[in-house]
Coordinates of all heavy atoms in Angstrom, one line a residue:
M1 N 0.8 -1.2 0.0 CA 0.0 0.0 0.0 C 0.9 1.2 0.0 O 1.9 1.3 0.7 CB -0.9 0.0 1.3 CG -2.1 0.7 1.1 SD -3.2 0.2 2.4 CE -3.9 1.7 2.8
A2 N 0.5 2.2 -0.8 CA 1.3 3.4 -1.0 C 1.1 4.4 0.2 O 0.0 4.4 0.8 CB 1.0 4.2 -2.2
P3 N 2.1 5.1 0.6 CA 1.9 6.0 1.8 C 1.0 7.2 1.4 O 1.1 7.6 0.2 CB 3.4 6.5 2.1 CG 4.1 6.2 0.9 CD 3.5 5.1 0.2
R4 N 0.2 7.6 2.3 CA -0.7 8.7 2.0 C 0.1 10.0 2.1 O 1.0 10.2 2.9 CB -1.8 8.7 3.0 CG -2.8 7.6 2.8 CD -3.9 7.8 3.8 NE -5.0 6.9 3.4 CZ -6.1 6.9 4.0 NH1 -6.4 7.8 5.0 NH2 -7.1 6.1 3.6
S5 N -0.4 11.0 1.3 CA 0.2 12.3 1.4 C -0.6 13.1 2.4 O -1.7 12.7 2.8 CB 0.1 13.0 0.0 OG -1.3 13.2 -0.3
N6 N 0.0 14.1 2.9 CA -0.6 14.9 3.9 C -1.6 15.9 3.3 O -1.3 16.8 2.5 CB 0.5 15.8 4.6 CG 0.0 16.5 5.9 OD1 -1.2 16.5 6.1 ND2 0.9 17.1 6.6
P7 N -2.9 15.7 3.6 CA -3.9 16.5 2.9 C -3.9 18.0 3.3 O -4.2 18.8 2.5 CB -5.3 15.9 3.4 CG -4.9 15.1 4.6 CD -3.5 14.7 4.5
R8 N -3.4 18.3 4.5 CA -3.3 19.7 4.9 C -2.3 20.4 4.1 O -2.4 21.5 3.6 CB -3.0 19.8 6.4 CG -2.8 21.2 6.8 CD -2.7 21.4 8.3 NE -4.1 21.3 8.7 CZ -4.5 21.3 10.0 NH1 -3.6 21.2 10.9 NH2 -5.7 21.2 10.3
R9 N -1.1 19.8 3.8 CA 0.0 20.3 3.1 C -0.5 20.6 1.6 O -0.3 21.6 1.0 CB 1.2 19.5 3.1 CG 2.4 20.1 2.4 CD 3.6 19.2 2.4 NE 4.0 18.9 3.8 CZ 4.5 17.8 4.2 NH1 4.8 16.9 3.3 NH2 4.8 17.6 5.4
N10 N -1.2 19.6 1.1 CA -1.7 19.7 -0.3 C -2.8 20.8 -0.4 O -2.8 21.6 -1.3 CB -2.3 18.4 -0.8 CG -1.2 17.4 -1.0 OD1 -0.1 17.7 -1.2 ND2 -1.6 16.1 -1.0
R11 N -3.6 20.9 0.6 CA -4.7 21.9 0.6 C -4.1 23.3 0.6 O -4.5 24.2 -0.1 CB -5.6 21.7 1.8 CG -6.8 22.7 1.7 CD -7.6 22.6 3.0 NE -6.8 23.1 4.1 CZ -7.0 22.8 5.3 NH1 -7.8 21.9 5.7 NH2 -6.3 23.4 6.3
K12 N -3.1 23.5 1.5 CA -2.5 24.8 1.6 C -1.7 25.2 0.3 O -1.7 26.3 -0.1 CB -1.6 24.9 2.8 CG -2.4 25.0 4.1 CD -1.6 25.4 5.3 CE -2.5 25.5 6.4 NZ -1.9 26.2 7.5
S13 N -1.0 24.2 -0.3 CA -0.2 24.5 -1.5 C -1.2 24.8 -2.6 O -0.9 25.7 -3.4 CB 0.7 23.4 -1.8 OG 0.0 22.2 -2.1
N14 N -2.3 24.1 -2.7 CA -3.3 24.4 -3.7 C -3.9 25.7 -3.5 O -4.2 26.5 -4.5 CB -4.4 23.3 -3.7 CG -3.9 22.0 -4.2 OD1 -2.8 21.9 -4.9 ND2 -4.6 20.9 -3.9
A15 N -4.2 26.1 -2.3 CA -4.8 27.4 -2.0 C -3.8 28.5 -2.3 O -4.2 29.6 -2.9 CB -5.1 27.5 -0.5
N16 N -2.5 28.3 -2.0 CA -1.5 29.3 -2.4 C -1.4 29.5 -3.9 O -1.3 30.6 -4.4 CB -0.1 29.0 -1.8 CG 0.0 29.3 -0.3 OD1 -0.6 30.3 0.1 ND2 0.8 28.5 0.4
A17 N -1.5 28.4 -4.6 CA -1.4 28.5 -6.1 C -2.7 29.3 -6.6 O -2.6 30.1 -7.5 CB -1.4 27.1 -6.7
A18 N -3.8 29.0 -6.0 CA -5.1 29.7 -6.4 C -5.0 31.2 -6.1 O -5.4 32.0 -6.9 CB -6.3 29.1 -5.7
I19 N -4.4 31.5 -5.0 CA -4.3 32.9 -4.6 C -3.3 33.6 -5.5 O -3.6 34.8 -5.9 CB -3.9 33.1 -3.1 CG1 -5.1 32.7 -2.2 CG2 -3.4 34.4 -2.8 CD1 -4.8 32.8 -0.7
E20 N -2.3 33.0 -5.9 CA -1.3 33.6 -6.9 C -2.0 33.9 -8.2 O -1.8 34.9 -8.8 CB -0.1 32.7 -7.0 CG 0.8 32.7 -5.8 CD 2.0 31.7 -6.0 OE1 2.3 31.3 -7.2 OE2 2.6 31.4 -5.0
K21 N -2.7 32.9 -8.7 CA -3.4 33.1 -10.0 C -4.5 34.2 -9.9 O -4.6 35.1 -10.8 CB -4.1 31.8 -10.4 CG -3.2 30.7 -10.9 CD -3.9 29.5 -11.3 CE -2.9 28.4 -11.6 NZ -3.6 27.1 -12.0
L22 N -5.2 34.2 -8.8 CA -6.2 35.3 -8.6 C -5.6 36.7 -8.4 O -6.1 37.7 -8.9 CB -7.1 35.0 -7.4 CG -8.1 33.8 -7.7 CD1 -8.7 33.4 -6.3 CD2 -9.2 34.3 -8.6
T23 N -4.4 36.7 -7.8 CA -3.7 38.0 -7.6 C -3.2 38.5 -9.0 O -3.3 39.7 -9.2 CB -2.5 37.8 -6.7 OG1 -3.0 37.3 -5.4 CG2 -1.8 39.1 -6.4
D24 N -2.7 37.6 -9.8 CA -2.3 38.0 -11.2 C -3.5 38.6 -12.0 O -3.4 39.7 -12.6 CB -1.7 36.9 -12.0 CG -0.4 36.5 -11.5 OD1 0.3 37.3 -10.8 OD2 0.1 35.3 -11.7
I25 N -4.7 38.0 -11.9 CA -5.9 38.5 -12.5 C -6.2 39.8 -11.9 O -6.6 40.8 -12.6 CB -7.0 37.5 -12.4 CG1 -6.7 36.2 -13.2 CG2 -8.3 38.1 -12.8 CD1 -7.7 35.1 -12.9
W26 N -6.2 39.9 -10.6 CA -6.6 41.2 -9.9 C -5.7 42.3 -10.3 O -6.1 43.4 -10.5 CB -6.5 40.9 -8.4 CG -6.9 42.0 -7.5 CD1 -8.2 42.5 -7.3 CD2 -6.0 42.8 -6.8 NE1 -8.1 43.5 -6.5 CE2 -6.8 43.8 -6.1 CE3 -4.6 42.9 -6.6 CZ2 -6.3 44.7 -5.3 CZ3 -4.1 43.8 -5.7 CH2 -4.9 44.7 -5.1
R27 N -4.4 42.1 -10.5 CA -3.4 43.1 -10.8 C -3.5 43.6 -12.3 O -3.4 44.7 -12.6 CB -2.0 42.7 -10.6 CG -1.6 42.7 -9.2 CD -0.1 42.3 -9.1 NE 0.4 42.2 -7.7 CZ 1.5 41.7 -7.4 NH1 2.3 41.3 -8.3 NH2 1.9 41.7 -6.1
K28 N -3.8 42.6 -13.2 CA -3.7 42.9 -14.6 C -4.9 43.5 -15.2 O -4.9 44.1 -16.3 CB -3.2 41.7 -15.4 CG -1.8 41.3 -15.0 CD -1.4 40.0 -15.7 CE 0.0 39.6 -15.3 NZ 0.4 38.3 -15.9
T29 N -6.1 43.3 -14.6 CA -7.3 43.7 -15.2 C -7.6 45.2 -14.9 O -7.2 45.7 -13.9 CB -8.5 42.8 -14.8 OG1 -9.6 43.2 -15.6 CG2 -8.8 42.9 -13.3
N30 N -8.4 45.8 -15.8 CA -8.8 47.2 -15.6 C -10.2 47.3 -15.3 O -10.7 48.4 -15.2 CB -8.4 48.0 -16.8 CG -6.9 48.1 -17.0 OD1 -6.2 48.2 -16.0 ND2 -6.5 48.2 -18.2
F31 N -11.0 46.2 -15.3 CA -12.4 46.3 -15.1 C -12.7 46.1 -13.6 O -12.3 45.2 -12.9 CB -13.1 45.1 -15.8 CG -12.9 45.2 -17.3 CD1 -12.0 44.4 -18.0 CD2 -13.6 46.2 -18.0 CE1 -11.8 44.4 -19.3 CE2 -13.4 46.2 -19.4 CZ -12.5 45.4 -20.1
P32 N -13.4 47.1 -13.0 CA -13.6 47.1 -11.5 C -14.4 45.9 -11.1 O -14.2 45.4 -10.0 CB -14.3 48.4 -11.3 CG -14.7 49.0 -12.5 CD -13.9 48.3 -13.6
E33 N -15.4 45.4 -11.9 CA -16.2 44.3 -11.4 C -15.4 43.0 -11.4 O -15.5 42.2 -10.5 CB -17.4 44.1 -12.3 CG -17.2 43.9 -13.8 CD -17.1 45.2 -14.5 OE1 -17.3 46.3 -14.0 OE2 -16.8 45.1 -15.7
I34 N -14.4 42.8 -12.3 CA -13.5 41.7 -12.3 C -12.6 41.8 -11.1 O -12.3 40.8 -10.4 CB -12.8 41.5 -13.6 CG1 -13.8 41.2 -14.7 CG2 -11.8 40.4 -13.6 CD1 -13.3 41.1 -16.1
Q35 N -12.0 43.0 -10.9 CA -11.1 43.2 -9.8 C -11.8 42.9 -8.5 O -11.3 42.3 -7.6 CB -10.6 44.6 -9.7 CG -9.4 44.9 -10.6 CD -8.9 46.3 -10.4 OE1 -9.5 47.2 -10.0 NE2 -7.6 46.4 -10.7
G36 N -13.1 43.4 -8.3 CA -13.8 43.1 -7.1 C -14.1 41.7 -6.8 O -13.9 41.2 -5.7
K37 N -14.5 41.0 -7.9 CA -14.8 39.5 -7.8 C -13.6 38.7 -7.5 O -13.6 37.8 -6.6 CB -15.5 39.0 -9.0 CG -16.0 37.6 -8.9 CD -17.1 37.5 -7.9 CE -17.6 36.1 -7.8 NZ -18.5 35.9 -6.7
S38 N -12.5 39.0 -8.2 CA -11.2 38.2 -7.9 C -10.7 38.6 -6.5 O -10.2 37.7 -5.8 CB -10.2 38.5 -9.0 OG -9.8 39.9 -9.0
G39 N -10.8 39.8 -6.1 CA -10.3 40.2 -4.7 C -11.2 39.5 -3.7 O -10.7 39.0 -2.7
S40 N -12.5 39.4 -3.9 CA -13.4 38.7 -3.0 C -13.1 37.2 -2.9 O -13.1 36.6 -1.8 CB -14.8 38.9 -3.5 OG -15.7 38.3 -2.6
M41 N -12.7 36.7 -4.1 CA -12.4 35.2 -4.1 C -11.0 35.0 -3.4 O -10.9 34.0 -2.7 CB -12.3 34.7 -5.5 CG -13.7 34.6 -6.2 SD -13.6 34.2 -7.9 CE -13.1 32.5 -7.8
I42 N -10.1 35.9 -3.5 CA -8.8 35.8 -2.7 C -9.1 35.8 -1.2 O -8.5 35.0 -0.5 CB -7.9 37.0 -3.1 CG1 -7.4 36.8 -4.5 CG2 -6.7 37.0 -2.1 CD1 -6.6 38.0 -5.0
V43 N -9.9 36.7 -0.8 CA -10.3 36.8 0.7 C -11.0 35.5 1.1 O -10.6 34.9 2.1 CB -11.2 38.0 1.0 CG1 -11.7 37.9 2.4 CG2 -10.4 39.3 0.7
D44 N -11.9 35.0 0.3 CA -12.6 33.7 0.6 C -11.6 32.5 0.7 O -11.7 31.8 1.7 CB -13.7 33.4 -0.4 CG -14.8 34.4 -0.3 OD1 -15.0 35.1 0.7 OD2 -15.6 34.5 -1.3
V45 N -10.7 32.4 -0.2 CA -9.8 31.3 -0.2 C -8.9 31.4 1.0 O -8.6 30.4 1.6 CB -9.0 31.2 -1.6 CG1 -7.9 30.2 -1.5 CG2 -9.9 30.9 -2.7
A46 N -8.4 32.6 1.3 CA -7.5 32.8 2.4 C -8.1 32.5 3.7 O -7.6 31.8 4.6 CB -6.9 34.2 2.4
R47 N -9.4 32.9 3.9 CA -10.1 32.6 5.1 C -10.4 31.2 5.3 O -10.3 30.6 6.3 CB -11.4 33.4 5.2 CG -11.1 34.9 5.5 CD -12.4 35.7 5.5 NE -12.2 37.1 5.8 CZ -13.1 38.0 5.8 NH1 -14.3 37.7 5.4 NH2 -12.8 39.2 6.0
R48 N -10.9 30.5 4.2 CA -11.3 29.1 4.2 C -10.1 28.2 4.6 O -10.2 27.2 5.3 CB -11.8 28.7 2.9 CG -12.5 27.3 2.9 CD -13.0 27.0 1.5 NE -13.8 28.0 0.9 CZ -13.6 28.6 -0.3 NH1 -12.6 28.1 -1.0 NH2 -14.4 29.5 -0.8
N49 N -8.9 28.6 4.1 CA -7.7 27.7 4.3 C -6.7 28.3 5.3 O -5.7 27.7 5.5 CB -7.0 27.5 2.9 CG -7.8 26.8 2.0 OD1 -8.1 25.6 2.2 ND2 -8.3 27.5 0.9
R50 N -7.1 29.4 6.0 CA -6.3 29.9 7.1 C -4.9 30.3 6.7 O -3.9 29.9 7.3 CB -6.3 29.0 8.3 CG -7.7 28.8 8.9 CD -7.6 27.9 10.1 NE -8.9 27.4 10.4 CZ -9.1 26.4 11.1 NH1 -8.1 25.6 11.5 NH2 -10.4 26.0 11.4
I51 N -4.8 31.0 5.5 CA -3.5 31.4 5.1 C -3.5 32.9 4.9 O -4.6 33.5 4.7 CB -3.0 30.7 3.8 CG1 -4.0 30.9 2.7 CG2 -2.8 29.2 4.1 CD1 -3.6 30.3 1.4
R52 N -2.3 33.5 4.9 CA -2.2 35.0 4.8 C -2.3 35.4 3.3 O -1.9 34.7 2.4 CB -0.9 35.5 5.3 CG -0.8 35.4 6.8 CD 0.5 35.8 7.3 NE 0.8 37.2 7.0 CZ 0.6 38.2 7.8 NH1 0.1 38.0 9.0 NH2 0.8 39.5 7.5
M53 N -3.0 36.5 3.1 CA -3.0 37.1 1.8 C -1.7 37.8 1.5 O -1.0 38.2 2.4 CB -4.2 38.1 1.7 CG -5.5 37.5 1.8 SD -6.9 38.7 1.5 CE -6.7 39.7 2.8
P54 N -1.4 37.9 0.2 CA -0.2 38.7 -0.1 C -0.3 40.1 0.4 O -1.4 40.7 0.4 CB -0.1 38.6 -1.7 CG -0.9 37.5 -2.0 CD -2.0 37.3 -1.0
F55 N 0.8 40.8 0.7 CA 0.8 42.1 1.2 C 0.2 43.1 0.3 O -0.6 44.0 0.8 CB 2.3 42.6 1.6 CG 2.3 43.9 2.2 CD1 2.0 44.1 3.5 CD2 2.7 45.0 1.5 CE1 2.0 45.3 4.2 CE2 2.8 46.3 2.1 CZ 2.4 46.4 3.5
I56 N 0.4 43.0 -1.0 CA -0.2 44.0 -1.9 C -1.7 43.9 -1.9 O -2.4 44.9 -2.0 CB 0.4 43.8 -3.3 CG1 -0.1 44.9 -4.3 CG2 0.0 42.5 -3.9 CD1 0.5 46.3 -4.0
V57 N -2.2 42.7 -1.7 CA -3.7 42.5 -1.7 C -4.2 43.0 -0.4 O -5.3 43.7 -0.3 CB -4.1 41.0 -1.9 CG1 -5.6 40.8 -1.8 CG2 -3.6 40.6 -3.3
R58 N -3.5 42.7 0.7 CA -4.0 43.2 2.0 C -4.1 44.7 2.1 O -5.0 45.2 2.7 CB -3.1 42.7 3.1 CG -3.4 41.3 3.6 CD -2.5 41.0 4.8 NE -1.2 40.5 4.3 CZ -0.1 40.7 4.9 NH1 0.0 41.3 6.1 NH2 1.0 40.3 4.4
T59 N -3.1 45.4 1.5 CA -3.1 46.9 1.6 C -4.0 47.5 0.6 O -4.4 48.7 0.8 CB -1.7 47.4 1.5 OG1 -1.1 47.0 0.2 CG2 -0.8 46.9 2.6
R60 N -4.3 46.9 -0.5 CA -5.1 47.5 -1.6 C -6.5 47.0 -1.7 O -7.1 47.1 -2.8 CB -4.4 47.4 -2.9 CG -3.1 48.1 -3.0 CD -3.2 49.6 -3.2 NE -3.3 50.4 -1.9 CZ -3.8 51.5 -1.8 NH1 -4.4 52.2 -2.8 NH2 -3.8 52.1 -0.6
F61 N -7.0 46.3 -0.7 CA -8.3 45.7 -0.8 C -9.0 45.8 0.5 O -8.5 45.5 1.6 CB -8.2 44.2 -1.2 CG -9.4 43.5 -1.5 CD1 -10.0 43.7 -2.7 CD2 -10.1 42.7 -0.6 CE1 -11.2 43.1 -3.1 CE2 -11.2 42.1 -0.9 CZ -11.8 42.3 -2.1
C62 N -10.2 46.4 0.6 CA -11.0 46.5 1.8 C -11.7 45.2 2.1 O -12.5 44.7 1.3 CB -12.1 47.6 1.6 SG -13.0 47.8 3.2
R63 N -11.3 44.7 3.3 CA -11.9 43.4 3.7 C -13.3 43.5 4.2 O -14.0 42.5 4.4 CB -11.0 42.7 4.7 CG -9.6 42.4 4.2 CD -8.8 41.6 5.2 NE -8.4 42.4 6.3 CZ -7.4 43.2 6.4 NH1 -6.6 43.3 5.3 NH2 -7.1 44.0 7.5
N64 N -13.7 44.7 4.5 CA -15.1 44.9 5.1 C -16.1 45.0 3.9 O -17.1 44.2 3.9 CB -15.1 46.2 5.9 CG -16.3 46.3 6.7 OD1 -16.9 45.3 7.1 ND2 -16.7 47.5 7.0
C65 N -15.9 45.9 3.0 CA -16.9 46.0 1.9 C -16.4 45.3 0.6 O -17.1 45.4 -0.4 CB -17.3 47.5 1.6 SG -15.9 48.5 1.1
R66 N -15.2 44.7 0.6 CA -14.7 44.0 -0.5 C -14.6 44.8 -1.8 O -15.1 44.4 -2.8 CB -15.5 42.7 -0.7 CG -15.4 41.8 0.5 CD -15.9 40.4 0.2 NE -15.7 39.6 1.4 CZ -15.9 38.3 1.4 NH1 -16.3 37.7 0.3 NH2 -15.6 37.6 2.5
V67 N -13.9 45.9 -1.7 CA -13.7 46.8 -2.8 C -12.2 47.0 -3.0 O -11.5 47.0 -2.1 CB -14.4 48.2 -2.6 CG1 -13.9 49.2 -3.4 CG2 -15.9 48.0 -2.7
S68 N -11.8 47.0 -4.3 CA -10.4 47.3 -4.6 C -10.1 48.8 -4.3 O -10.8 49.7 -4.9 CB -10.1 47.0 -6.0 OG -8.8 47.3 -6.3
L69 N -9.2 49.1 -3.5 CA -8.9 50.5 -3.1 C -7.9 51.1 -4.0 O -6.9 50.6 -4.4 CB -8.3 50.5 -1.7 CG -9.2 50.0 -0.5 CD1 -8.4 49.9 0.8 CD2 -10.5 50.8 -0.4
N70 N -8.3 52.3 -4.5 CA -7.4 53.1 -5.3 C -7.5 54.6 -4.8 O -8.1 54.8 -3.8 CB -7.8 53.0 -6.8 CG -9.2 53.4 -7.0 OD1 -9.8 54.1 -6.3 ND2 -9.8 52.8 -8.0
S71 N -6.9 55.5 -5.5 CA -6.9 56.9 -5.0 C -8.3 57.6 -5.0 O -8.5 58.6 -4.4 CB -5.9 57.7 -5.8 OG -6.3 57.7 -7.2
G72 N -9.2 57.0 -5.8 CA -10.5 57.6 -5.9 C -11.5 57.2 -4.7 O -12.3 58.0 -4.4
N73 N -11.3 56.0 -4.2 CA -12.2 55.6 -3.1 C -11.5 55.2 -1.8 O -12.1 54.5 -1.0 CB -13.0 54.4 -3.6 CG -12.2 53.2 -3.9 OD1 -11.0 53.2 -3.8 ND2 -12.8 52.1 -4.4
S74 N -10.3 55.8 -1.6 CA -9.7 55.6 -0.3 C -8.8 56.8 0.0 O -8.5 57.6 -0.8 CB -8.8 54.3 -0.4 OG -7.7 54.5 -1.3
R75 N -8.4 56.9 1.3 CA -7.6 57.9 1.8 C -6.4 57.2 2.4 O -6.5 56.4 3.3 CB -8.3 58.8 2.8 CG -7.5 59.9 3.3 CD -8.3 60.7 4.4 NE -9.7 60.9 4.0 CZ -10.7 60.5 4.7 NH1 -10.6 59.7 5.8 NH2 -11.9 60.7 4.3
T76 N -5.2 57.6 1.9 CA -3.9 57.0 2.4 C -3.1 58.0 3.1 O -2.8 59.1 2.6 CB -3.1 56.3 1.3 OG1 -3.9 55.4 0.6 CG2 -1.9 55.6 1.8
R77 N -2.7 57.7 4.3 CA -1.9 58.6 5.1 C -0.8 57.9 5.8 O -0.9 56.7 6.1 CB -2.8 59.3 6.2 CG -3.9 60.1 5.7 CD -4.6 60.7 6.8 NE -5.7 61.6 6.2 CZ -6.5 62.4 7.0 NH1 -6.4 62.3 8.3 NH2 -7.3 63.1 6.4
I78 N 0.3 58.6 5.9 CA 1.5 58.1 6.6 C 1.8 59.0 7.8 O 2.1 60.2 7.6 CB 2.7 58.0 5.6 CG1 2.4 57.2 4.4 CG2 4.0 57.5 6.4 CD1 3.5 57.2 3.3
R79 N 1.7 58.4 8.9 CA 2.0 59.1 10.2 C 2.9 58.3 11.1 O 2.6 57.1 11.3 CB 0.7 59.4 10.9 CG -0.2 60.4 10.3 CD -1.3 60.7 11.3 NE -2.5 60.6 10.6 CZ -3.7 60.5 11.1 NH1 -3.8 60.4 12.4 NH2 -4.8 60.4 10.4
K80 N 4.0 58.9 11.5 CA 4.9 58.2 12.4 C 5.3 56.9 11.9 O 5.3 55.9 12.6 CB 4.4 58.2 13.8 CG 4.2 59.5 14.4 CD 3.6 59.4 15.8 CE 3.3 60.8 16.4 NZ 2.8 60.7 17.7
R81 N 5.7 56.8 10.6 CA 6.1 55.5 10.0 C 5.0 54.4 9.9 O 5.3 53.2 9.8 CB 7.4 55.0 10.6 CG 8.5 55.9 10.5 CD 9.8 55.3 11.1 NE 10.9 56.2 11.1 CZ 12.0 56.0 11.6 NH1 12.2 54.9 12.2 NH2 13.0 56.9 11.5
K82 N 3.8 54.8 10.1 CA 2.7 53.8 10.0 C 1.8 54.2 8.8 O 1.4 55.4 8.6 CB 1.9 53.8 11.3 CG 2.7 53.2 12.4 CD 1.9 53.2 13.7 CE 2.7 52.6 14.8 NZ 2.0 52.6 16.1
L83 N 1.4 53.3 8.0 CA 0.5 53.5 6.9 C -1.0 53.3 7.3 O -1.3 52.3 8.0 CB 0.8 52.5 5.8 CG 0.0 52.6 4.5 CD1 0.3 53.8 3.8 CD2 0.3 51.4 3.6
S84 N -1.8 54.3 7.1 CA -3.2 54.2 7.4 C -4.0 54.4 6.1 O -3.9 55.4 5.5 CB -3.5 55.3 8.4 OG -4.9 55.3 8.7
V85 N -4.8 53.4 5.8 CA -5.6 53.4 4.6 C -7.1 53.4 5.0 O -7.5 52.4 5.7 CB -5.3 52.2 3.6 CG1 -6.2 52.3 2.4 CG2 -3.9 52.2 3.3
T86 N -7.9 54.4 4.6 CA -9.3 54.5 5.0 C -10.1 54.3 3.8 O -10.0 55.0 2.8 CB -9.6 55.8 5.7 OG1 -8.8 56.0 6.8 CG2 -11.0 55.9 6.1
C87 N -11.0 53.3 3.8 CA -12.0 53.1 2.7 C -13.1 54.1 2.9 O -13.7 54.3 3.9 CB -12.6 51.7 2.8 SG -13.8 51.4 1.6
I88 N -13.4 54.9 1.8 CA -14.4 55.9 1.9 C -15.8 55.3 1.8 O -16.7 55.8 2.4 CB -14.2 56.9 0.7 CG1 -12.9 57.7 1.0 CG2 -15.3 57.9 0.6 CD1 -12.5 58.6 -0.1
G89 N -15.9 54.1 1.2 CA -17.2 53.5 1.1 C -17.8 53.0 2.4 O -19.0 53.3 2.7
C90 N -17.0 52.4 3.2 CA -17.5 51.9 4.5 C -16.9 52.5 5.7 O -17.2 52.2 6.8 CB -17.3 50.3 4.6 SG -15.5 49.9 4.6
D91 N -15.9 53.5 5.5 CA -15.2 54.3 6.5 C -14.5 53.4 7.5 O -14.3 53.7 8.6 CB -16.3 55.1 7.2 CG -15.6 56.3 7.9 OD1 -14.7 56.9 7.3 OD2 -16.0 56.7 9.0
R92 N -13.9 52.3 7.0 CA -13.1 51.4 7.8 C -11.6 51.8 7.6 O -11.2 52.0 6.5 CB -13.3 50.0 7.5 CG -12.5 49.0 8.4 CD -12.9 47.6 8.1 NE -12.4 46.7 9.1 CZ -11.2 46.1 9.1 NH1 -10.4 46.3 8.0 NH2 -10.8 45.3 10.0
T93 N -10.9 51.8 8.7 CA -9.5 52.2 8.6 C -8.6 51.0 8.8 O -8.8 50.2 9.8 CB -9.1 53.2 9.7 OG1 -9.9 54.4 9.5 CG2 -7.7 53.7 9.6
H94 N -7.7 50.8 7.9 CA -6.7 49.7 8.0 C -5.4 50.3 8.3 O -4.9 51.2 7.7 CB -6.6 48.9 6.6 CG -7.9 48.5 6.1 ND1 -8.5 47.3 6.5 CD2 -8.8 49.0 5.2 CE1 -9.6 47.1 5.8 NE2 -9.8 48.2 5.1
R95 N -4.7 49.8 9.3 CA -3.4 50.3 9.7 C -2.3 49.3 9.6 O -2.5 48.1 10.0 CB -3.5 50.8 11.2 CG -4.4 52.0 11.4 CD -4.4 52.4 12.8 NE -5.3 53.5 13.0 CZ -6.6 53.4 13.3 NH1 -7.1 52.2 13.5 NH2 -7.3 54.5 13.4
Y96 N -1.2 49.7 9.0 CA -0.1 48.8 8.7 C 1.2 49.4 9.3 O 1.3 50.6 9.3 CB 0.1 48.5 7.2 CG -1.2 48.0 6.6 CD1 -2.0 48.9 5.9 CD2 -1.6 46.7 6.7 CE1 -3.2 48.5 5.3 CE2 -2.8 46.3 6.1 CZ -3.6 47.2 5.4 OH -4.7 46.8 4.8
L97 N 2.1 48.5 9.7 CA 3.4 49.0 10.3 C 4.3 49.4 9.2 O 4.4 48.9 8.1 CB 4.0 48.0 11.1 CG 3.2 47.6 12.4 CD1 3.9 46.5 13.2 CD2 3.1 48.9 13.3

């Protein structure tokens, strides 16, 4: 009988591969509805499999209202070496070191 593979390791590697593909789609497209859907799917996959999202997605995507943040719908401030991004749609503030 062949040894079994670790399902948790396979699940996390598959989830990381899916997140990388969705991140490429999210970065390269110019359509806001496709960006929103792919970003929402990135959040869903990361939450379901308990893995971290890439830094660029975490800082440019509102996890509350699931909107891709840009200069038109967010406010970005740098204070005391800390990055603060506020979503104008839901008024949620994300703070990063």
Side-chain angles (χ1 to χ4, degrees):
M1 205 163 144
R4 289 185 167 184
S5 63
N6 189 351
R8 174 168 283 171
R9 184 179 304 147
N10 289 341
R11 185 187 71 205
K12 287 195 176 194
S13 64
N14 291 340
N16 282 329
I19 286 178
E20 287 177 16
K21 288 179 184 177
L22 288 169
T23 303
D24 289 339
I25 292 170
W26 182 74
R27 283 184 182 172
K28 293 178 183 176
T29 187
N30 293 327
F31 299 105
E33 56 273 357
I34 294 176
Q35 276 188 334
K37 188 63 177 173
S38 62
S40 178
M41 290 174 71
I42 290 171
V43 173
D44 289 341
V45 170
R47 285 182 181 170
R48 189 180 313 122
N49 294 292
R50 298 181 192 158
I51 56 177
R52 290 179 62 97
M53 291 187 293
F55 183 74
I56 187 71
V57 177
R58 274 186 279 149
T59 57
R60 295 281 93 202
F61 190 77
C62 180
R63 293 184 296 272
N64 192 28
C65 63
R66 296 189 176 194
V67 162
S68 178
L69 299 174
N70 54 29
S71 61
N73 61 1
S74 67
R75 182 183 314 118
T76 304
R77 296 181 177 183
I78 302 172
R79 288 189 232 163
K80 297 181 182 178
R81 298 182 183 175
K82 293 182 181 177
L83 180 68
S84 175
V85 180
T86 304
C87 176
I88 294 175
C90 65
D91 203 37
R92 184 172 191 269
T93 302
H94 307 274
R95 293 181 183 94
Y96 307 100
L97 296 177

